Amino acid sequence: MPVGTLGTVKGVHQRELKDDIGAQIILGNTYHLYLRPGLEILEKAGGLHRFNGFDRPMLTDSGGFQVFSLTGIRKLSREGCEFRSHIDGSKHFFTPEKVMDIERTIGADIIMAFDECPPGTADFSYARKSLDLTHHWLERCEKRFSETSPKYGYEQSLFPIVQGCVYKDLRRESARFATGFNADGYAIGGLAVGEPAEVMYEMIEEVNDILPQDRPRYLMGVGTPVNILEAIARGVDMFDCVMPTRNGRNAMLFTADGILNMRNAKWATDFSPVDATSTCFVDSNYSRAYLHHLFKSKELLAMQIASIHNLAFYLRLVKEARRHIMADDYSSWMADMLPRLSRRL
């Protein structure tokens, strides 16, 4: 899922998302949309779909990760989380019930339960308390969700989030707890937050042995092309990450043959396509030399081209992964791809 935190994927038009990139679903953020443009405007518009014009599915995360990121200006309790806006310093309080009401108003097709996201370096005692809080909040989220109705004439799905930091027993406990809600899908949160990649893969294996195989499994906030292929091999179905667009805006491009830094002087006279294996229109129409020129000149078009390229590459990569799963040769294909995806060109 391309990340559209504020209701927009930065630098990318809706037409490009659908026609050129082929995005079937994008992600928005509850915390940010609650603060700006605000619930009153979103409700008057008829929900986020009507507000931003994206007529395909959307998912909203619950704001739990953003609350985690606000260390120093937030206060957690069993009741909820008090925090100050990063925009104007105003004070707000999120409870699980309020988050469900906010996500009903935003109107995404898939909404996430409110959780606490502990750092990957948290000790066991903190992780234990954090997980108890997340499970308590999940029960309250599910109750509020079941007591309310969608606002815009279509159903919404609530996904629980499996937490537990880097502790296998906590992860297994959380996965078992989450499956008790018989949800349409399940998310794996609290990874790629400071722990080594190999530990992340171990945690995925622990929970995917428990989560239902006939429901989608969503790994939140991950990650690099290598991370995605490794996670698919362990049973993950859905991903989101700001990396394709954020790194693209900073001149890093992902390709099937490796990673390019478009500010490097070596590309100044390279008139070959950005990615010769791609059929995306930006790769067909713009050379590496031109994109290098745009970044060196600080032209806004550079960030737009790079964002579209990276998103199209990510979508193409997971489509190719699906084809190899269906052909029953995913493992050999992944083994060939991993070193290629990791190298710097």
Side-chain angles (χ1 to χ4, degrees):
M1 292 174 284
V3 175
T5 301
L6 287 162
T8 177
V9 178
K10 285 184 172 61
V12 182
H13 193 281
Q14 311 288 30
R15 174 183 53 77
E16 294 162 336
L17 274 174
K18 293 189 291 186
D19 297 343
D20 301 316
I21 295 167
Q24 299 300 310
I25 177 172
I26 63 173
L27 178 144
N29 180 260
T30 294
Y31 164 86
H32 287 282
L33 291 167
Y34 161 79
L35 292 176
R36 188 167 52 195
L39 301 183
E40 183 179 356
I41 290 174
L42 287 169
E43 188 152 23
K44 284 183 177 179
L48 185 57
H49 283 286
R50 289 182 178 272
F51 187 62
N52 74 356
F54 192 75
D55 58 1
R56 294 178 182 177
M58 285 189 278
L59 178 150
T60 44
D61 59 11
S62 66
F65 180 78
Q66 282 65 40
V67 167
F68 155 73
S69 302
L70 292 171
T71 303
I73 55 174
R74 50 91 163 158
K75 182 179 179 182
L76 293 175
S77 68
R78 189 168 174 82
E79 180 58 26
C81 179
E82 179 185 286
F83 62 92
R84 291 190 177 274
S85 165
H86 70 285
I87 299 170
D88 60 10
S90 57
K91 187 182 292 186
H92 304 268
F93 193 77
F94 272 8
T95 65
E97 293 80 8
K98 183 171 183 177
V99 169
M100 290 297 94
D101 293 345
I102 293 169
E103 294 194 84
R104 286 292 199 193
T105 298
I106 294 171
D109 304 87
I110 301 172
I111 66 178
M112 309 308 298
F114 192 47
D115 66 328
E116 190 201 356
C117 180
T121 55
D123 61 29
F124 185 86
S125 176
Y126 184 95
R128 169 78 270 171
K129 293 176 182 177
S130 174
L131 186 61
D132 290 342
L133 187 62
T134 287
H135 287 175
H136 173 64
W137 286 355
L138 174 55
E139 290 177 322
R140 290 167 57 187
C141 283
E142 197 280 332
K143 184 174 186 294
R144 185 67 163 200
F145 182 77
S146 65
E147 292 171 345
T148 57
S149 300
K151 293 188 173 185
Y152 308 115
Y154 52 87
E155 292 300 317
Q156 296 174 285
S157 294
L158 172 64
F159 281 21
I161 301 176
V162 175
Q163 288 286 357
C165 199
V166 296
Y167 302 102
K168 292 182 179 181
D169 53 346
L170 296 184
R171 284 283 174 180
R172 289 193 296 267
E173 176 187 338
S174 189
R176 287 190 290 267
F177 186 84
T179 58
F181 291 86
N182 192 31
D184 292 336
Y186 299 88
I188 306 167
L191 294 175
V193 289
E195 81 286 351
E198 289 305 319
V199 174
M200 175 176 70
Y201 301 148
E202 290 176 10
M203 297 304 106
I204 294 169
E205 291 172 3
E206 292 293 330
V207 303
N208 278 349
D209 281 343
I210 298 169
L211 296 176
Q213 294 188 14
D214 62 346
R215 309 290 169 88
R217 298 151 169 178
Y218 163 33
L219 181 58
M220 304 181 74
V222 178
T224 68
V226 168
N227 292 156
I228 288 174
L229 295 193
E230 291 278 14
I232 288 172
R234 291 163 171 84
V236 175
D237 306 293
M238 297 171 60
F239 302 87
D240 80 280
C241 193
V242 298
M243 186 170 284
T245 47
R246 179 178 291 170
N247 288 32
R249 294 194 304 273
N250 288 283
M252 178 182 285
L253 270 66
F254 299 97
T255 76
D257 291 315
I259 301 167
L260 296 79
N261 181 343
M262 296 313 302
R263 290 197 177 97
N264 287 349
K266 69 169 72 175
W267 310 122
T269 56
D270 185 340
F271 301 103
S272 63
V274 173
D275 184 352
T277 68
S278 171
T279 57
C280 176
F281 82 95
V282 297
D283 297 310
S284 303
N285 289 280
Y286 302 112
S287 69
R288 294 176 179 184
Y290 182 61
L291 190 52
H292 169 80
H293 160 69
L294 293 179
F295 271 112
K296 294 293 286 186
S297 304
K298 299 182 179 180
E299 286 286 344
L300 295 179
L301 182 59
M303 295 184 282
Q304 184 180 12
I305 290 172
S307 296
I308 293 170
H309 163 83
N310 280 350
L311 288 173
F313 171 72
Y314 268 59
L315 268 290
R316 194 167 69 253
L317 183 69
V318 295
K319 287 176 182 176
E320 186 70 11
R322 182 183 296 115
R323 284 195 290 270
H324 285 282
I325 291 170
M326 299 301 291
D328 200 28
D329 64 354
Y330 181 82
S331 295
S332 60
W333 173 76
M334 183 180 78
D336 175 64
M337 289 297 298
L338 292 184
R340 293 169 57 192
L341 294 169
S342 303
R343 66 189 176 196
R344 301 270 176 162
L345 298 176

